[in-house]
Amino acid sequence: MSDSSQVILLAHGSSDKRWCETFEKLAEPTLQSVENSAIAYMELAEPSLDSVIADGKHRGVERFTIVPLFLAAGRHLRKDVPAMIDELEQQHQVHIRLADPIGMNPRLGDAIRDVVLEELS
Amino acid sequence: MSDSSQVILLAHGSSDKRWCETFEKLAEPTLQSVENSAIAYMELAEPSLDSVIADGKHRGVERFTIVPLFLAAGRHLRKDVPAMIDELEQQHQVHIRLADPIGMNPRLGDAIRDVVLEELS
């Protein structure tokens, strides 16, 4: 991505370190392959979405794409995150696009099948 | 898998149909590739874990492997599900193995990277 745009992988967050470590590992291949990408947490862990966006804006990023590390869209993705985005767009004067949760992409179903086949072998 | 064992993909469940539809789509490639596999929900949706295990036992299944459709292990997978499993093993006289949540497998991180690259292209 160009310097003026950034991808943010958004995880729920937890006070349990092991939870965050799992998401950091899940994010690793993306962070290694996609320039100017970052992980952020909705709540209970750092970095927050606000701090990642503030940091990006400080470096000149104007456009953000949030890819939710959620398998499906529940209340968080239907209500809480869009409300957070509205506020962050106003506060930081940036444009933020919310992508579908990763579980909506058929690649995930294929990966799950491969995990299960590995589990059984 | 032989008739005497079954794989269960365990999702959280929700009263929101769209939530369950996403998980049913995620499960599809596994259900098509793995004989004697099923999806079940922890709560708020059907089929319940109890009903899938009762049905399997009725067909002669003695061993179940539960693969959690969760990206990471929180309270549900550390406490609630193991407690449910203890109860179900006693109630139905079966053996149930709880696998790691799918998000612990590196394949998922690779799939997420591919989803993000597709999102950007």
Side-chain angles (χ1 to χ4, degrees):
Chain A
M1 299 202 84
S2 73
D3 278 346
S4 65
S5 65
Q6 180 169 12
V7 169
I8 301 173
L9 298 177
L10 181 68
H12 184 277
S14 163
S15 56
D16 184 342
K17 265 190 191 175
R18 296 168 296 180
W19 173 275
C20 297
E21 279 165 11
T22 303
F23 280 97
E24 278 151 30
K25 275 194 191 156
L26 279 171
E28 241 174 53
T30 302
L31 303 188
Q32 280 169 9
S33 300
V34 179
E35 215 185 325
N36 210 3
S37 60
I39 187 169
Y41 295 98
M42 253 193 78
E43 58 187 32
L44 301 171
E46 289 293 330
S48 68
L49 191 52
D50 179 63
S51 69
V52 169
I53 286 174
D55 175 67
K57 174 74 181 182
H58 186 72
R59 290 182 292 103
V61 178
E62 301 283 348
R63 300 181 156 272
F64 297 84
T65 297
I66 295 180
V67 178
L69 298 185
F70 287 69
L71 290 175
R75 187 179 48 80
H76 283 320
L77 291 182
R78 294 191 195 282
K79 299 203 170 166
D80 304 342
V81 174
M84 288 171 78
I85 286 176
D86 281 350
E87 209 178 302
L88 290 165
E89 283 188 317
Q90 286 184 30
Q91 189 187 337
H92 297 290
Q93 292 293 302
V94 294
H95 180 76
I96 303 172
R97 186 169 72 84
L98 179 61
D100 283 336
I102 52 164
M104 304 280 280
N105 189 302
R107 292 176 189 276
L108 266 287
D110 292 345
I112 290 168
R113 175 200 58 212
D114 294 343
V115 168
V116 171
L117 291 172
E118 190 182 308
E119 190 66 51
L120 298 177
S121 70
Chain B
M1 298 201 86
S2 73
D3 279 346
S4 66
S5 65
Q6 181 170 11
V7 169
I8 301 173
L9 298 177
L10 181 69
H12 184 278
S14 163
S15 56
D16 184 341
K17 265 189 191 175
R18 295 168 296 180
W19 173 275
C20 298
E21 280 166 9
T22 303
F23 281 97
E24 277 151 30
K25 275 194 192 156
L26 279 171
E28 241 174 52
T30 303
L31 304 188
Q32 280 169 9
S33 299
V34 179
E35 216 184 327
N36 210 2
S37 60
I39 187 170
Y41 295 98
M42 255 193 77
E43 58 187 32
L44 300 172
E46 290 294 330
S48 68
L49 191 51
D50 179 63
S51 69
V52 169
I53 286 173
D55 175 68
K57 173 74 180 183
H58 186 71
R59 290 181 293 104
V61 178
E62 301 282 347
R63 299 179 158 274
F64 297 84
T65 298
I66 294 179
V67 178
L69 299 187
F70 287 69
L71 290 175
R75 187 179 48 79
H76 284 318
L77 291 182
R78 295 193 194 281
K79 299 206 168 162
D80 303 341
V81 174
M84 287 172 79
I85 287 176
D86 282 350
E87 209 178 302
L88 290 165
E89 282 188 317
Q90 286 183 30
Q91 188 188 336
H92 297 291
Q93 292 293 302
V94 294
H95 180 77
I96 303 171
R97 186 169 73 83
L98 180 61
D100 282 337
I102 52 163
M104 304 281 280
N105 188 301
R107 292 176 191 275
L108 267 286
D110 293 344
I112 290 168
R113 175 201 57 213
D114 294 344
V115 168
V116 171
L117 291 172
E118 191 182 308
E119 190 67 49
L120 298 177
S121 70

